[in-house]
Amino acid sequence: MTQIFAIFIILLSSIAINAQQSFGSTELPHPGPRSNEQAVFLFNEALAAQKKDQIELAVENYEKILKDYPQFTDKMATYQNLLAIELKQKKYPEVLKLAKDAMLEHPSKNILMNIQLMRAEAELQLGKPLQTKLIAEEILKSKPEANTLTSALLFKAEALSQLGKNKEALASLDAAKGNAKFADAELKIRARNCSSQKPLPKQEALDYIHEKNLCFKESAALAKSYPAKESAQVWCDRFHVFELELKKIKTDEFTREKLKLELVNAKAVAATWECKQ
């Protein structure tokens, strides 16, 4: 009886060892998608953290969802929220990489347009106006809704302005309406356009400076009282170059002083902007 029991114990041990070895050989390092309920919990927690400006927790949760829950029903919202955070943090290369991943998921038209706008912003901030222009044109070809249309036109206008295509930039700007960023975009684009003006053949210095100064003055007057610092700085930098230009113009002292006074009057329009010199 003791021998039978001993043999039985040995058999059980052998079965246990074989089962353990079999399980170990087939177990995957990542056991596959978890439940949608768990992803929902992480998403809601991230959303609440984002609203409370607890960005580290929000990013951690969003990234975990994208990594571990590929079938999550709100996956595109996760992409968009994470993209918005990275854009705000000025992580522009990361924005472009994440946007590429999101676009491979074949999002709906509205979501795709939103992602494209974030791509355009990132490319522009990285100093790539040509890429920004191409993205904006892709958006415009798709006949987007009004708000997206306006934003795309503004991105295209700014990109063209940076590329030195002032006439085309103004045309795109004039087509854009109803966006909160319009005034800031207009200020930058019109300031660059004013700066690009050159004297016509045989044009008197007085007339040239007067027209160019009027251009700067009108562009400043069109802007809101307190434009964004970046937009205001573009105007101020371009106007400062204009002031230096006046010093190099050959004219009599009386005319020079008269022109200087005109520039002082134009600069007064932007006196509250606190630009750096």
Side-chain angles (χ1 to χ4, degrees), residues 11-26:
L11 286 171
L12 284 177
S13 299
S14 177
I15 292 170
I17 290 170
N18 289 335
Q20 186 176 12
Q21 288 176 343
S22 176
F23 178 76
S25 64
T26 58

Side-chain angles (χ1 to χ4, degrees), residues 152-182:
L153 285 168
L154 290 177
F155 275 124
K156 183 179 179 181
E158 175 64 15
L160 287 166
S161 177
Q162 289 189 21
L163 290 167
K165 298 182 178 182
N166 295 290
K167 186 176 181 179
E168 294 176 49
L170 288 170
S172 185
L173 177 67
D174 289 340
K177 296 179 181 179
N179 190 291
K181 296 181 179 179
F182 178 81

Side-chain angles (χ1 to χ4, degrees), residues 213-231:
N213 185 63
L214 184 60
C215 182
F216 273 106
K217 191 173 183 179
E218 287 177 345
S219 65
L222 286 169
K224 55 188 178 182
S225 301
Y226 297 98
K229 288 184 179 180
E230 178 197 353
S231 305

Side-chain angles (χ1 to χ4, degrees), residues 213 217 220 235 239 261-273:
N213 185 63
K217 191 173 183 179
W235 188 95
F239 190 82
L261 183 59
E262 282 198 38
L263 266 65
V264 168
N265 291 334
K267 196 172 183 178
V269 179
T272 60
W273 294 354

Side-chain angles (χ1 to χ4, degrees), residues 104-124:
L104 291 174
E105 298 287 336
H106 304 293
S108 66
K109 180 180 176 180
N110 288 341
I111 293 175
L112 177 61
M113 294 299 96
N114 189 36
I115 292 171
Q116 288 282 64
L117 288 175
M118 287 190 272
R119 284 184 65 218
E121 174 79 18
E123 294 284 16
L124 195 63

Side-chain angles (χ1 to χ4, degrees), residues 187-207:
L187 178 60
K188 291 188 289 184
I189 292 166
R190 294 198 184 282
R192 292 194 194 99
N193 178 61
C194 295
S195 183
S196 70
Q197 292 183 9
K198 303 296 181 185
L200 298 173
K202 299 182 180 181
Q203 185 178 24
E204 294 289 335
L206 180 64
D207 293 333

Side-chain angles (χ1 to χ4, degrees), residues 77-147:
T78 305
Y79 270 117
Q80 289 185 96
N81 291 350
L82 184 54
L83 279 166
I85 290 174
E86 290 184 340
L87 197 60
K88 188 175 181 180
Q89 292 180 327
K90 301 181 179 181
K91 295 181 177 180
Y92 304 122
E94 289 86 345
V95 169
L96 295 176
K97 183 179 182 303
L98 186 62
K100 183 178 179 180
D101 292 341
M103 291 169 68
L104 291 174
E105 298 287 336
H106 304 293
S108 66
K109 180 180 176 180
N110 288 341
I111 293 175
L112 177 61
M113 294 299 96
N114 189 36
I115 292 171
Q116 288 282 64
L117 288 175
M118 287 190 272
R119 284 184 65 218
E121 174 79 18
E123 294 284 16
L124 195 63
Q125 294 298 333
L126 287 171
K128 298 179 180 179
L130 181 57
Q131 290 297 329
T132 303
K133 173 180 171 290
L134 293 175
I135 294 171
E137 288 175 342
E138 284 180 18
I139 297 172
L140 294 171
K141 286 179 184 177
S142 67
K143 298 179 180 180
E145 295 180 355
N147 288 339

